[in-house]
Amino acid sequence: MQAKGSRAPSLRALPFLFIVAALLGLLPLLHSHGLQPNPMLASEPPHHYPAVISGSEPGDVTAAPHDVSQEIRPLPNRTSPGHVKYRKAFPVLGIDYTHVRIPFEISLWILLACLMKLGFHVIPSVSNIVPESCLLIVVGLLVGGLIKGVGESPPILKSDIFFLFLLPPIILDAGYFLPLRQFTENLGTILIFAVVGTLWNAFFLGGLMYAVCQISGTGLSHIGLLANLLFGSIISAVDPVAVLAVFEEIHINELLHILVFGESLLNDAVTVVLYHLFEEFANFEQVTVTDIILGFLSFFVVSLGGVFVGVIYGVIAAFTSRFTSHIRVIEPLFVFLYSYMAYLSAELFHLSGIMALIASGVVMRPYVEANISHKSHTTIKYFLKMWSSVSETLIFIFLGVSTVAGKHYWNWTFIISTLIFCLIARVLGVLGLTWFINKFRIVKLTPKDQFIIAYGGLRGAIAFSLGYLLDYQHFGMRDMFLTAIITVIFFTVFVQGMTIRPLVDLLAVKKKQETKRSINEEIHTQFLDHLLTGIEDICGHYGHHHWKDKLNRFNKKYVKKCLIAGERSKEPQLIAFYHKMEMKQAIELVESGGLGKIPSAISTVSMQNINPRALPVKRILPALSKDKEEEIRKILRNNLQKTRQRLRSYNRHTLVADPYEEAWNQMLLRRQKARQLEQKINNYLTVPAHKLDSPTMSRARIGSDPQAYEPKSDSGNLPIITIDPASPQSPESVDLVNEELKGTSCLPPSPEEDEEGLVMHMMEPSSPGTDNVFTPGASDSPSNQRMMRCLSDPGPQPEPEEGEPFIPKGK
Amino acid sequence: EGLAKSGSPMVRPSLVRRLMDLITSHLHRRFKQISGDQPTLRKESFDRIPDLEFNPIRSKIVRAFFDKRNLRQAPDGLADEINFEDFLTIMSYFRPVEMNMDEEQLDHFRKEKLKFLFHMYDSDNDGKITLQEYRKVVEELLSRNPHLEKESARSIADGAMMEAASICVGQMEPDQVYEGITFEDFLKMWQGIDIDTKMHVRFLNMEPIAHCH
């Protein structure tokens, strides 16, 4: 993505322009911070803030920014600013900032975040070296500094906003699209890292920091053991947001990605328990054995409870999605709402909200995907990506701003030793645990892997928010804690985040492989699964495969029947996969096919090559449900229609008296290409033959019916093929014709209707599941009648008629 | 015998033998259970395993135990009955990979496993998987769904075969014919999947006990 040379200077200037524009937009914001909004007291005399508002009436303005207040002209009948109410003229223009203040500010911040993201991608050179998270923190620092410079106090990232609004989208995005196969295969490893690793980090760090605090002369001896342990538990958790932000850009292999990422997700339970435990008892300085046992118990309650809540909501969401076939538009909303409710419900009971969110996403996904339409699936995907992206950006910016805004207390000893011990704890923890884990793993973790796991343990905003939650009364050293947390976050994000990419290249760590899932692989994988299950049964060894098989059988027998609508509940996985592949291929084919150009990625292998003896039979697709079929057809039609619309313009005004020949040749060419395209589509995706008995559709399936080109005189459902070159009609009139024919179920045999281009009508029943809202384009008539324009052969014997030598009309 | 190939140099031979005995005795007990205390197993013996009933490719698995190619006795044909040694030979195909293997051993290891799989697909022993055989495989995989039509399995198999042809041969003219998937083609198809790490049964792994020593 190289910017063209001549445009490079303006492109480089673009981000600066963005920054300036964004900051300018902040100015009214800044001024309003200093003003006291008084929406109710309309008659309040303005002498409270004489310096800012001068010359404005007390009547209409409540809080006005400095520069704007000048524009308000004082009214002629005004005598003096006072407590007297008087009749004023109707205000033509007024300002009421407090009315919109909060949404306005929020939107401004989000806009700033998005503009920053945009800016970074315009300058590719910087974003190659520095990960986006670092740049965003820097921007946050700048903005915070700017706000402070103006004299206002910049907003700090409040824990409520963070935990309730900014964090859930990111976690939901991660949980919904979690690669389940790898996750479950490595679950043991992930759990050990998450639970044991975090515990080790917390206690090691807390204990060492306590020892450091006891050293006389540092001024830290007032910090007790429990306070230190609390600090340790806050800072020891690997942060999913930071990990995602950095690992997304370096594309390491899936195993490492899932290990570090899974660890960052599952350690939430440990963090929650430790945090609450130490916070409760930090004041008492005494922890009895009962408390420890209760704490241990609470860990199980928190984690398993969180998962349980998530599973419940996931099942409910799956069940709801079973009935949404008539209102497709709100399907995505169910997914979002149920997941968010799961998160909030878990947080309500002090259970682990993150685990609830992940559990609900994982549980609902297979069933919801089987029930919802393709468009809803796309919507869910893009909304989740959008929200999580914006959230992430906002979090990092606010981290920067909060750094500037917060009160800091810098103590060299404490902070430097925190940093060092954090790193040491992480390295030792990973090494030790890997030695233990490798005994039980088949695919061992190499030292390179261990290094990446250790190095990828980034801290982020969760640690900051947890620290922010501490209250001053019990924790006087809160500021120092916050400073230390921010330092560690900065260090991990900047230093480790920036250097991990060159290190990955240097150590030649295996990168992610872009493999295309193929039907062969799917068959082989399933075959292997069954084989291994069988062998395990023969050996009498109840291992991994045995239990997975049992779960699958249970799922198929009971759960799927409840949660998946209609026919799809019985669909075996192989068939579902095959459908997905075909849909994908059909879309790819048509989108790249365009004007009939066959993409080279599609091979020319066809049925002839593998089965020469067999006749080219109409392949019947495994029973596609009506909905799916309708969707595939609609997608194909939309894309083919776009093609035809483009082609139509060739036919219109260019066909005047003489160059029929040229147009005819052009048409032949187009027809040939379209036929090839259709053939390709037929190879990959055949709509069941028995549904398309009407002669019109068999004409559409060019190539399958070699004699299709004679107009059949006995059928009433013939397509009307007319070319009217000299017609004064505009192309839009054709749509009117289409609309008129909407209600009819058969073609009106009206040869005198002048239609543009070559038109074919398709009979088919409407399917109930179509969502009209998303249907694009004016020409796509949203109801029964679908117009499919194919350039089909008008017939071997054109019947010349006066003035139009070229228009064979069907009877 | 297949299990004796481990030979990690750090582990004493006596320990290896002890481990082998452990695993072997477990398998021997299992063998006795299945065969009903007979010295040999027949095809019918496998009916004694209840869980195997749910397996869609049951017949292929059972057949694989009696396939002479897997038993390394003959290039084709089926044995009528197998003894404990043959049982162990088949089990050895599912050994997990061991850390001390070098490149050549690993390659051989992988090929052995893939050959086992290939023999399962290629029922008529002609050295290639034809369209009919592939169709049969997919039909069996989908056999637990009685409401499906036969054509569904057929079209999936056709699609897969075409894909295999395009991977192995590339672009084909309309008059070229792709006979079937040979073993080399089969290897190519499995390149993306780590067969050495996937095709194993965990308890045959002697390493954790070996390392504890």
Side-chain angles (χ1 to χ4, degrees):
Chain A
M1 260 177 38
Q2 297 286 327
K4 298 208 170 58
S6 57
R7 296 169 57 200
S10 56
L11 279 179
R12 292 237 171 77
L14 220 49
F16 295 113
L17 288 176
F18 282 143
I19 295 178
V20 170
L23 293 176
L24 276 178
L26 281 176
L27 279 176
L29 182 70
L30 306 180
H31 284 279
S32 73
H33 267 287
L35 301 174
Q36 309 299 314
N38 291 318
M40 288 305 127
L41 308 171
S43 56
E44 179 84 12
H47 63 259
H48 287 299
Y49 24 95
V52 181
I53 301 179
S54 54
S56 69
E57 309 81 355
D60 55 348
V61 178
T62 51
H66 183 83
D67 42 354
V68 186
S69 63
Q70 309 288 342
E71 297 170 15
I72 300 167
R73 302 278 158 256
L75 289 173
N77 62 349
R78 191 180 143 235
T79 49
S80 65
H83 311 261
V84 184
K85 276 203 108 166
Y86 57 91
R87 190 174 184 280
K88 55 178 169 61
F90 189 75
V92 175
L93 184 69
I95 293 260
D96 188 4
Y97 184 65
T98 49
H99 182 60
V100 297
R101 182 170 164 225
I102 294 181
F104 193 83
E105 288 180 13
I106 294 175
S107 308
L108 216 51
W109 278 109
I110 298 181
L111 194 59
L112 174 71
C114 297
L115 288 174
M116 287 303 116
K117 244 182 135 68
L118 198 62
F120 297 143
H121 284 279
V122 172
I123 343 171
S125 53
V126 183
S127 48
N128 279 340
I129 307 172
V130 186
E132 219 174 83
S133 39
C134 305
L135 290 172
L136 288 168
I137 294 186
V138 169
V139 167
L141 287 173
L142 283 175
V143 171
L146 204 77
I147 297 181
K148 210 163 192 180
V150 182
E152 306 299 335
S153 62
I156 303 187
L157 179 64
K158 293 210 185 53
S159 301
D160 276 347
I161 298 182
F162 175 74
F163 280 114
L164 292 180
F165 299 113
L166 291 179
L167 190 62
I170 302 179
I171 304 293
L172 180 60
D173 181 37
Y176 196 78
F177 293 110
L178 197 66
L180 200 58
R181 213 189 163 101
Q182 276 115 342
F183 188 73
T184 45
E185 276 174 15
N186 295 300
L187 193 59
T189 314
I190 293 176
L191 275 175
I192 291 184
F193 273 125
V195 177
V196 181
T198 312
L199 279 173
W200 157 259
N201 277 349
F203 282 101
F204 184 75
L205 189 68
L208 277 182
M209 288 316 295
Y210 180 62
V212 165
C213 286
Q214 297 307 102
I215 299 175
S216 59
T218 53
L220 298 169
S221 31
H222 58 280
I223 307 177
L225 174 66
L226 284 173
N228 274 306
L229 284 176
L230 178 60
F231 176 71
S233 65
I234 293 177
I235 198 134
S236 61
V238 178
D239 188 84
V241 181
V243 164
L244 262 181
V246 169
F247 273 47
E248 199 101 330
E249 302 183 357
I250 60 178
H251 300 299
I252 51 169
N253 62 56
E254 286 169 341
L255 173 67
L256 287 178
H257 188 262
I258 198 71
L259 282 180
V260 181
F261 184 60
E263 179 196 344
S264 68
L265 288 176
L266 294 186
N267 65 16
D268 181 59
V270 182
T271 313
V272 164
V273 169
L274 283 179
Y275 181 80
H276 282 123
L277 191 69
F278 291 131
E279 200 200 3
E280 285 283 315
F281 299 122
N283 305 316
F284 300 112
E285 286 295 335
Q286 271 276 48
V287 181
T288 64
V289 181
T290 336
D291 295 327
I292 297 181
I293 294 179
L294 283 178
F296 194 66
L297 211 62
S298 116
F299 167 70
F300 285 105
V301 169
V302 163
S303 52
L304 293 176
V307 171
F308 180 69
V309 168
V311 168
I312 300 272
Y313 274 99
V315 168
I316 298 179
F319 189 67
T320 313
S321 74
R322 187 180 161 180
F323 302 106
T324 56
S325 53
H326 298 280
I327 320 179
R328 295 277 185 200
V329 191
I330 56 175
E331 272 172 345
L333 209 52
F334 280 120
V335 171
F336 301 142
L337 284 174
Y338 277 117
S339 311
Y340 194 47
M341 292 280 289
Y343 179 76
L344 292 175
S345 308
E347 288 287 322
L348 177 66
F349 295 108
H350 275 293
L351 305 173
S352 165
I354 291 186
M355 296 185 87
L357 208 47
I358 303 271
S360 81
V362 162
V363 165
M364 77 166 76
R365 187 179 178 203
Y367 308 107
V368 162
E369 302 250 299
N371 282 330
I372 61 177
S373 71
H374 181 72
K375 281 181 173 138
S376 298
H377 169 78
T378 312
T379 308
I380 292 178
K381 186 162 101 168
Y382 280 103
F383 260 87
L384 281 179
K385 297 281 174 215
M386 179 185 80
W387 271 330
S388 68
S389 184
V390 168
S391 264
E392 197 182 289
T393 314
L394 274 176
I395 289 177
F396 283 114
I397 290 186
F398 267 115
L399 261 182
V401 173
S402 306
T403 312
V404 173
K407 284 181 281 194
H408 293 294
Y409 182 83
W410 184 273
N411 183 309
W412 279 100
T413 334
F414 190 79
I415 294 178
I416 299 296
S417 43
T418 305
L419 199 56
I420 297 177
F421 291 139
C422 248
L423 295 173
I424 297 179
R426 176 79 182 159
V427 171
L428 286 179
V430 169
L431 284 177
L433 286 175
T434 319
W435 174 82
F436 177 70
I437 289 171
N438 268 343
K439 292 185 197 293
F440 299 98
R441 281 182 66 90
I442 302 293
V443 182
K444 316 280 180 200
L445 294 174
T446 65
K448 254 193 257 178
D449 295 336
Q450 292 171 36
F451 175 73
I452 297 290
I453 295 176
Y455 208 65
L458 307 173
R459 314 301 201 265
I462 290 187
F464 178 80
S465 305
L466 284 176
Y468 193 78
L469 274 176
L470 298 171
D471 69 55
Y472 267 114
Q473 287 162 315
H474 296 136
F475 300 97
M477 70 301 283
R478 175 178 173 268
D479 293 329
M480 190 171 67
F481 281 176
L482 274 180
T483 314
I485 292 174
I486 288 189
T487 314
V488 174
I489 294 178
F490 271 41
F491 184 82
T492 55
V493 172
F494 277 92
V495 175
Q496 286 178 234
M498 268 203 274
T499 54
I500 199 168
R501 199 196 307 221
L503 276 174
V504 161
D505 291 332
L506 195 70
L507 293 174
V509 178
K510 235 171 40 168
K511 295 262 179 123
K512 180 153 79 163
Q513 297 178 314
E514 298 296 339
T515 46
K516 258 176 58 149
R517 295 293 310 275
S518 70
I519 186 72
N520 269 309
E521 266 189 40
E522 184 69 18
I523 294 179
H524 293 321
T525 316
Q526 282 212 6
F527 192 84
L528 196 57
D529 273 343
H530 287 300
L531 171 64
L532 289 172
T533 312
I535 297 287
E536 276 188 5
D537 288 333
I538 294 177
C539 283
H541 169 69
Y542 293 127
H544 185 60
H545 288 99
H546 178 87
W547 294 115
K548 210 162 83 159
D549 190 57
K550 267 212 154 89
L551 186 67
N552 278 337
R553 266 187 282 137
F554 172 73
N555 187 19
K556 191 163 135 189
K557 200 156 162 209
Y558 299 111
V559 186
K560 271 191 180 170
K561 288 217 174 82
C562 291
L563 300 180
I564 300 184
E567 277 304 306
R568 294 209 62 186
S569 60
K570 302 205 204 83
E571 195 179 55
Q573 196 196 342
L574 195 60
I575 305 251
F577 183 80
Y578 188 60
H579 285 177
K580 213 160 67 162
M581 291 263 90
E582 293 230 318
M583 184 112 102
K584 242 192 263 187
Q585 269 179 344
I587 296 174
E588 263 176 42
L589 189 61
V590 177
E591 281 181 353
S592 62
L595 291 170
K597 176 172 67 82
I598 300 164
S600 56
I602 312 278
S603 94
T604 53
V605 177
S606 64
M607 277 307 295
Q608 315 291 98
N609 297 110
I610 58 173
N611 200 355
R613 283 177 296 278
L615 294 166
V617 293
K618 295 189 175 105
R619 286 194 315 133
I620 301 177
L621 198 73
L624 268 175
S625 71
K626 253 177 71 170
D627 292 334
K628 282 285 172 233
E629 196 188 293
E630 182 53 39
E631 282 201 76
I632 295 179
R633 250 192 246 153
K634 212 183 338 167
I635 293 169
L636 287 176
R637 217 176 305 121
N638 282 346
N639 284 293
L640 280 173
Q641 243 179 343
K642 288 191 208 131
T643 310
R644 300 306 168 247
Q645 280 161 26
R646 264 180 277 153
L647 295 175
R648 197 168 27 129
S649 59
Y650 284 99
N651 292 334
R652 213 163 33 100
H653 296 301
T654 57
L655 293 179
V656 289
D658 268 337
Y660 281 138
E661 201 58 42
E662 192 195 55
W664 176 238
N665 288 339
Q666 251 186 6
M667 211 171 57
L668 277 179
L669 199 64
R670 303 259 178 260
R671 189 233 317 163
Q672 191 190 30
K673 286 193 179 159
R675 195 189 311 164
Q676 277 177 335
L677 183 61
E678 300 261 354
Q679 215 163 27
K680 285 298 148 201
I681 295 177
N682 283 345
N683 273 340
Y684 288 99
L685 176 67
T686 30
V687 185
H690 61 274
K691 290 239 178 187
L692 305 171
D693 274 343
S694 62
T696 47
M697 265 327 282
S698 58
R699 284 174 73 110
R701 301 209 316 136
I702 302 158
S704 62
D705 189 358
Q707 293 170 346
Y709 307 126
E710 308 257 11
K712 295 188 176 75
S713 47
D714 46 24
S715 162
N717 304 342
L718 280 183
I720 297 173
I721 304 157
T722 58
I723 304 175
D724 189 358
S727 160
Q729 284 175 351
S730 62
E732 281 67 43
S733 69
V734 189
D735 294 341
L736 289 178
V737 171
N738 299 347
E739 297 298 308
E740 279 165 22
L741 295 173
K742 239 201 285 190
T744 63
S745 58
C746 73
L747 264 183
S750 50
E752 52 275 5
E753 270 187 77
D754 291 321
E755 296 176 7
E756 295 284 14
L758 304 172
V759 177
M760 288 185 51
H761 297 272
M762 207 159 81
M763 318 307 162
E764 63 183 28
S766 73
S767 101
T770 41
D771 44 344
N772 305 326
V773 180
F774 291 131
T775 314
S779 58
D780 199 358
S781 54
S783 76
N784 305 2
Q785 202 82 3
R786 304 272 192 239
M787 310 289 264
M788 179 133 139
R789 297 189 182 138
C790 287
L791 290 171
S792 68
D793 191 344
Q797 315 127 358
E799 296 155 347
E801 296 190 0
E802 276 131 41
E804 297 165 338
F806 197 59
I807 303 166
K809 293 214 174 127
K811 290 283 181 296
Chain B
E1 273 52 317
L3 294 166
K5 285 207 208 99
S6 73
S8 152
M10 296 195 303
V11 180
R12 283 200 294 252
S14 60
L15 186 63
V16 173
R17 242 174 303 152
R18 257 191 284 152
L19 292 169
M20 261 179 56
D21 290 342
L22 201 70
I23 296 174
T24 316
S25 63
H26 175 94
L27 285 175
H28 198 232
R29 251 178 289 137
R30 189 67 184 161
F31 182 83
K32 282 210 157 131
Q33 251 182 331
I34 305 175
S35 69
D37 282 332
Q38 302 288 321
T40 57
L41 276 182
R42 298 179 162 277
K43 280 213 180 118
E44 297 75 39
S45 326
F46 284 93
D47 294 338
R48 277 185 236 261
I49 308 173
D51 284 321
L52 208 54
E53 248 187 74
F54 296 112
N55 206 314
I57 56 170
R58 184 183 177 283
S59 57
K60 278 208 186 302
I61 297 178
V62 173
R63 200 174 167 284
F65 271 82
F66 295 88
D67 193 334
K68 283 201 181 150
R69 291 176 294 178
N70 293 337
L71 298 169
R72 302 195 184 114
Q73 288 169 1
D76 67 6
L78 282 180
D80 289 327
E81 49 186 28
I82 54 173
N83 58 20
F84 183 58
E85 209 179 299
D86 300 323
F87 187 69
L88 279 185
T89 314
I90 303 286
M91 281 297 154
S92 73
Y93 284 103
F94 295 94
R95 258 162 55 231
V97 67
E98 285 142 30
M99 269 191 101
N100 55 336
M101 283 182 159
D102 59 19
E103 278 301 314
E104 202 190 304
Q105 275 180 318
L106 270 177
D107 195 49
H108 177 77
F109 194 65
R110 195 182 142 88
K111 280 220 173 86
E112 287 290 310
K113 297 197 178 209
L114 284 175
K115 255 214 150 52
F116 186 85
L117 272 182
F118 189 76
H119 293 155
M120 286 183 83
Y121 284 84
D122 179 26
S123 32
D124 63 359
N125 303 354
D126 61 355
K128 46 180 186 284
I129 307 173
T130 58
L131 184 62
Q132 298 302 328
E133 288 168 343
Y134 213 32
R135 276 182 184 165
K136 189 125 198 330
V137 169
V138 178
E139 263 169 37
E140 276 200 14
L141 274 180
L142 295 173
S143 58
R144 303 244 72 168
N145 305 282
H147 62 282
L148 278 183
E149 303 164 350
K150 275 223 148 159
E151 281 91 23
S152 329
R154 198 171 296 167
S155 48
I156 294 183
D158 292 344
M161 197 70 174
M162 284 200 278
E163 195 192 71
S166 62
I167 293 177
C168 306
V169 182
Q171 304 287 350
M172 289 183 81
E173 298 301 315
D175 51 350
Q176 274 181 291
V177 178
Y178 183 64
E179 294 290 332
I181 306 176
T182 60
F183 187 57
E184 282 70 36
D185 298 338
F186 196 66
L187 285 177
K188 247 189 261 185
M189 285 203 300
W190 276 91
Q191 247 172 14
I193 315 173
D194 276 335
I195 188 75
D196 2 20
T197 55
K198 288 210 165 154
M199 186 164 152
H200 67 267
V201 177
R202 194 174 270 269
F203 92 107
L204 293 173
N205 183 13
M206 295 195 295
E207 280 199 63
I209 321 170
H211 279 286
C212 272
H213 169 67

